[in-house]
Each structure stands twice: as C-alpha cells, then as structure tokens.
Amino acid sequence: MRPEFYKVLASPVLWGILILAAPLPFLLPSYYLHIVILSLVYVALASSWNIVGGMAGQISLAHSLFIGTGAMLSTALLLKLGINMWVGLLISAAISAMLAAMIAWIDYRFRLGHLSFVLITLAFAEMGGLVVEGWDFLGGASGLLLPRDTGHFLDFQFGGSHGAFWVMLLLAVVCVLVNVAILNAPLGYYLRTIRDNENAARAIGVNVLRYKVAAMVISAVLASIVGTAYVRYLTFADPYLLISPVITIEIVLFATVGGLGSAFGPALGALLLVPLGEILRGQLGGVLPGLHYFIYGIVVIAVILITPQGLLPLFERLWKRRPGAAATRPPTVAP
Amino acid sequence: MALLEVEKVTKRFGGLVALNDVSFSVAQGEILGIIGPNGAGKTTLFSAISGFAPPSSGDVRFDGTSIVGVLPDRLVRRGLIRSFQIVQTFADMTTLDVVTTAALTRRPIREAIDYAAHVLGRVGLAGKEHLTPLTLSLQDKKLLELAKCLATDPRCILLDEVMAGLTMAETDKPIAVVRELNRQGVTIVMVEHVMPVIMQLATRMVVINFGEKIAEGSPADIVKDQHVIDAYFGEHLDA
C-alpha cells in the first residue's frame, strides 16, 4: 500500500465531513433526509461500479444483477426461509461474487471486445431480472415486503431513516475508501494498465484474468451489500427498481459525470446529481410532466461537454487556480 | 547450458507459413542478433517465443523446460520478457506508473516505485517520470520500452527493434544500456534492422528470410555469407 492511502485515512477533511454529517438526521426534515440517504446509496453504488467501469475501463451493465441479488435474495431468504438478514447479506454477497467471477471469466475466455462486454453484461442483468420476475421465491413481478423496521440491530434493522442514514454513510465511506485503497495498491496499477492496453499489460507481467476477476468480484460484493442495506431502508423489494438495468445506467451516469477512474469522482457525481434530480422532480414534476427530466438531461449534457473527464478534474483545476494557491501563483516581483 | 532453445518452430497463419522449422539456441549471457529483410518472420518468432502467438509446431525451452502455451505474464515472472517494435503506450498513466507496474512483478509497491524511478534514470528518462508516454518523443518511447523490460528484473530480454527509427546519435543511450545489462548477466536476443548497431553488440547472429533460418554465425562471418548477401541485395544473375 502506498503511503497516500494512510494520508487519506488520517485526513482531517475526511473525519471533518463525517463529524459534520453524523447529526444530519436530527437536523433535516424527513424529505431532505431521504434525498441525502438516496445520495449516499448512489455514492456507494457509483464508487463500487467505478472499480470495474472506471479503473479497469470495462463498462459493465451487470451492476443491477449484484444490487438485485443483494436486495431480492436476502429479502427472500428472510421471508421464505426465515434466514437472518445478516446471514442473507453474506449469502447474497457470496452469490454475487460467484456471478461476477463467472462474467469476468467469460469476458476473458472469449476475449470480448468493449462492445460485446457491454452487451453481455446487459444480457446477464436482463436475465437476472427475468429470473426474479418468474420465480415466486424471489417475489415474482410483485416484489416482496419486509417486516417493519423496529430497530433490532441483530435482525438487520436500524430504526428507520435515522439508522439508514448512518448505515449508508458508513457504506458510502467504505466504498470510497476501497477505491482509494485499490488505486494505491498493486491492483490499481494492474487495472489501469489493463484498461489502457491489455496486451501491453500482459507483456509487463500482469495476470489479466486474475485482476479482471478481482475487480469484478470486489465491485459486485460491495454492490450486493449496498443492495441489501438499501432494500432494508426501502422496506419493499421492488424488482423493477432494484434489478433493472435502469439503476445501472444511473450509476454509470453519476460516475462518468463525476470522473471515471478516480477515487472521489463517482462519489462527487452522485452527491451532485441525485439531489439535483430529486429536487427538480419535486419542484417541476407537477408543473409540466417530464420537464424535470428535460432540464436534468440538459445539465448532464452540458457537464459532459464542458468537462469530458468529469467534474472532479474540473474542480481540481479550479482549486489550483484559487486566489492564494501556491503552485500556480505568478512570482511576485519586489517593487 | 543454453538458456533459451528454439527447436523446429513452425508458425502458420491459415495457409501462410510465417516460420518454417526454425531452430537455434541462446547461451546464458550471450547477445544474439536476429536479422532478416522486412516480413522475414522476426517479430513472429518473438511472439512465438514469448507466448503471444504460440508456435503451430516445434518446441521452445527456457531454462530447460518447455514454455509453449505458457502465458506471457507467467514468462515475465520466470524472467523472460519481450519489448515491442510498435511502442505500447498507456494513455492515462505516467511513465513512472507504467514502469512501476512492471517492477511490481518482483517487488512490493513502495520498493517498486523507488526501483521504477531508478530504472527510468538508468535508461536516461530522469525528469520525465510524470509525463504520459503518449507525449514522449520516439526515442524516449523506445527508452521506456527498455525501462519496462528492465524493471521486471529479467534473465533474458527479447528486444524487437528498439533502435529502429532513431538517428545514430540517439542509439548511443540504448546501446550503452544493453551493454551494461549484458555485463550484469542478462541474456539478450535482439531483432534489429540497424546493421551498425547489431554488428557492435551481437556476439552471434541468426539470419532469417521467408520464415527460414538461412545463416548463423559471428557477425564477421555473417556479412560475408552469400545467402545473406542474396537475401539483402538480391541474387546474382548467373545466367
């Protein structure tokens, strides 16, 4: 691990944000708290997707498969078999890991190009959706309803939105820190070479299969865990929300707008776009149906045109150019 | 003992025979030069040895064991690495990152970063650690290819035209690096078009034409060999 990772861990900014954020559930009205929780869910999901999509450069549309496994399977295990949801979380994560390893292996074995990889992962995501819809054990098309959250921690209950906020804050931080850790570890180097040039990566000793599988599995396990926590917050395991490729598209969008491949970019994208989307919907949804989508789309297109590398590089540049920044300040000449 | 043995290697692409029954061996510590006209099969030979395009038939042995079908990255770990004629670049990484990745083959990350910086200095790329390879000049890109190979601590390097496209003055640096490497015991097999370079460096040479080995010997003998002269300058009209 490079020392940079420990610098981030020990960074006062990180801990400052956490300390400031911790009391938010007591300060925010429930509507805004919901938006914040949703943002954190997407921070975690976009960051987990970034490991495959950003660092390894493989646009995987299978993320909903892992989120859905974490959500639907853990719920079904609890409702149909009475399996504790903590155990369900682990079982779903293990199954997500296996699915992820299988997809990565198929990609490697059949040397899928970029487009084929996108389509194959989409096909797996769709298959996941069909399995859930067609199998009553997983709730079928009507979904599953979890028992009310009474705050029993041992039953994977966190006491409604207050608890959900802290759980999601924790998961979001963990997912971002996993990104930071990978970028500062050999895996980060390997994934970046694989993204840029698979053959050249192999030529300098990178085991392409092993690290592609590693990236996919880490990404899937995180997504699955977030899926389980998310469904606990929603209480209703809705297949059309949780195992639909639409959720993946949103994640890809947030990560791209924020900055692919960087540790904080996807988090930034989710933190800006989720509230923007929700607030636009709240303000304009009743004025003219679809208007909020229209404005949201324009904002996203504008961001991509202005800064194709994402918002994070743009912010970094602005930060360096701020008044008083040491690095770029022209040398002052004594009068 | 021979470190690298190529035995009756044939490579077919469909109906095209790119390599036909090529055999030679490379002793530990040697610098073997491989020459031949364009399209003779030199790069194909390197691909066949290094695991990128395994031979259709024949055997390649490294350190006494067959390496046919072993993946390139495993070969790098065993100490056999190749460079590419067409420089392989990584768009979003600095030269230091690229060489660090190569150094990770045998070192933990912090050591790998220090070692990569050291290797970049050694090939003459000091001060260019934080540039992306795409912005480097051709000469520097070739030096980066060399640095990538060095950083993996190889026992044997296959160099594919690392001097091609450079001016004579620009070849000084890579030549010095190759010499020094060889003095440290690294075995070198190099494909090269630039004859003065290979004449200076190689201890022995193999000549390939139309996928077949047509001559083998010391550089001094090779330039006098009639087959080689024919291959390079065309045959005499004896009629």
Side-chain angles (χ1 to χ4, degrees):
Chain A
M1 199 62 74
R2 269 166 40 175
E4 279 82 349
F5 174 67
Y6 302 105
K7 264 186 223 158
V8 171
L9 267 193
S11 151
V13 178
L14 173 75
W15 295 103
I17 290 173
L18 284 182
I19 288 167
L20 286 179
L24 276 181
F26 302 111
L27 304 173
L28 288 177
S30 65
Y31 170 64
Y32 289 102
L33 183 60
H34 171 71
I35 293 178
V36 171
I37 293 172
L38 212 55
S39 306
L40 291 172
V41 169
Y42 279 98
V43 166
L45 290 176
S47 300
S48 66
W49 181 82
N50 187 45
I51 298 164
V52 167
M55 294 180 203
Q58 295 191 286
I59 308 302
S60 162
L61 296 186
H63 222 53
S64 64
L65 183 63
F66 312 130
I67 302 165
T69 302
M72 310 304 294
L73 182 61
S74 62
T75 306
L77 288 174
L78 172 69
L79 296 180
K80 305 284 167 77
L81 301 177
I83 293 175
N84 182 296
M85 215 162 166
W86 286 104
V87 179
L89 173 141
L90 294 178
I91 295 173
S92 323
I95 288 178
S96 292
M98 280 186 259
L99 289 170
M102 184 187 71
I103 292 172
W105 181 82
I106 289 173
D107 164 46
Y108 177 85
R109 175 64 185 74
F110 297 99
R111 294 170 182 274
L112 300 182
H114 283 291
L115 185 59
S116 327
F117 181 76
V118 173
L119 293 176
I120 291 271
T121 51
L122 180 62
F124 274 106
E126 290 286 5
M127 276 155 60
L130 290 175
V131 168
V132 170
E133 278 175 45
W135 191 12
D136 282 342
F137 176 74
L138 291 173
S142 52
L144 294 167
L145 195 61
L146 278 168
R148 214 165 60 84
D149 185 343
T150 50
H152 285 111
F153 184 76
L154 290 179
D155 288 334
F156 202 73
Q157 297 180 357
F158 307 104
S161 53
H162 281 41
F165 170 83
W166 288 311
V167 169
M168 288 307 170
L169 183 64
L170 176 73
L171 283 176
V173 169
V174 166
C175 287
V176 171
L177 285 180
V178 168
N179 273 257
V180 177
I182 292 176
L183 283 178
N184 286 300
L187 182 59
Y189 283 83
Y190 297 142
L191 294 182
R192 285 152 71 211
T193 52
I194 290 171
R195 170 185 64 195
D196 283 351
N197 191 333
E198 218 170 280
N199 258 332
R202 199 172 274 129
I204 50 175
V206 177
N207 186 329
V208 174
L209 173 63
R210 180 187 299 170
Y211 299 116
K212 272 187 165 178
V213 170
M216 201 76 179
V217 166
I218 295 171
S219 172
V221 166
L222 291 174
S224 176
I225 293 171
V226 175
T228 309
Y230 188 29
V231 79
R232 181 58 271 185
Y233 168 63
L234 296 172
T235 318
F236 175 50
D238 177 0
Y240 297 103
L241 173 67
L242 293 165
I243 195 154
S244 135
V246 174
I247 198 170
T248 311
I249 301 294
E250 285 181 303
I251 292 164
V252 175
L253 181 71
F254 300 152
T256 310
V257 166
L260 277 184
S262 61
F264 302 105
L268 181 72
L271 282 178
L272 293 174
L273 287 183
V274 176
L276 177 73
E278 287 297 313
I279 289 166
L280 280 178
R281 191 160 62 109
Q283 300 297 316
L284 300 173
V287 181
L288 187 65
L291 182 62
H292 62 286
Y293 277 132
F294 187 74
I295 294 179
Y296 183 80
I298 288 177
V299 171
V300 168
I301 291 170
V303 169
I304 291 174
L305 287 180
I306 293 166
T307 170
Q309 302 297 311
L311 283 168
L312 191 71
L314 180 74
F315 282 14
E316 281 169 349
R317 257 174 298 163
L318 292 178
W319 177 250
K320 279 183 194 143
R321 254 192 275 157
R322 76 193 186 276
T328 48
R329 193 167 47 188
T332 42
V333 182
Chain B
M1 198 191 95
L3 181 64
L4 182 67
E5 294 160 280
V6 175
E7 194 183 294
K8 298 190 174 196
V9 163
T10 297
K11 178 74 190 177
R12 288 183 208 92
F13 295 104
L16 179 82
V17 182
L19 287 174
N20 189 11
D21 226 15
V22 175
S23 301
F24 61 88
S25 68
V26 190
Q28 171 76 46
E30 212 180 357
I31 301 185
L32 178 76
I34 296 179
I35 62 167
N38 281 325
K42 306 180 298 286
T43 298
T44 308
L45 177 64
F46 270 16
S47 298
I49 298 173
S50 60
F52 281 90
S56 314
S57 67
D59 196 17
V60 181
R61 282 185 298 275
F62 183 64
D63 208 12
T65 47
S66 176
I67 54 169
V68 172
V70 180
L71 289 171
D73 51 283
R74 302 303 296 264
L75 292 177
V76 171
R77 284 178 193 272
R78 287 205 206 163
L80 176 68
I81 190 166
R82 76 173 286 193
S83 77
F84 282 86
Q85 179 185 1
I86 297 156
V87 180
Q88 308 281 301
T89 52
F90 299 94
D92 288 343
M93 301 176 80
T94 64
T95 57
L96 182 66
D97 287 344
V98 171
V99 179
T100 299
T101 312
L104 283 168
T105 302
R106 280 179 231 289
R107 287 158 209 272
I109 184 141
R110 290 188 202 200
E111 246 180 70
I113 295 169
D114 292 342
Y115 188 61
H118 164 76
V119 167
L120 283 171
R122 189 168 159 197
V123 301
L125 286 175
K128 293 176 179 164
E129 292 88 350
H130 299 290
L131 299 177
T132 72
L134 283 177
T135 62
L136 296 177
S137 68
L138 179 65
Q139 185 195 11
D140 286 351
K141 280 180 184 161
K142 299 257 172 180
L143 292 174
L144 180 63
E145 276 293 303
L146 209 51
K148 274 157 56 180
C149 292
L150 255 67
T152 64
D153 297 308
R155 296 168 63 197
C156 178
I157 306 187
L158 311 177
L159 293 174
D160 197 352
E161 300 205 18
V162 277
M163 320 281 178
L166 303 183
T167 65
M168 285 317 277
E170 285 172 339
T171 58
D172 288 351
K173 189 79 205 181
I175 288 175
V177 174
V178 170
R179 276 234 170 83
E180 194 197 328
L181 266 178
N182 185 245
R183 258 202 304 277
Q184 293 168 351
V186 179
T187 306
I188 288 159
V189 182
M190 54 195 308
V191 158
E192 202 55 72
H193 265 311
V194 188
M195 288 301 282
V197 168
I198 204 148
M199 297 291 289
Q200 269 185 62
L201 283 170
T203 45
R204 208 157 52 84
M205 279 164 71
V206 164
V207 187
I208 291 180
N209 195 20
F210 294 116
E212 292 183 28
K213 184 172 89 173
I214 57 169
E216 182 174 354
S218 72
D221 292 338
I222 285 292
V223 290
K224 284 182 280 183
D225 190 290
Q226 193 57 46
H227 289 103
V228 179
I229 295 169
D230 289 346
Y232 272 88
F233 303 110
E235 287 173 39
H236 286 281
L237 294 171
D238 288 332

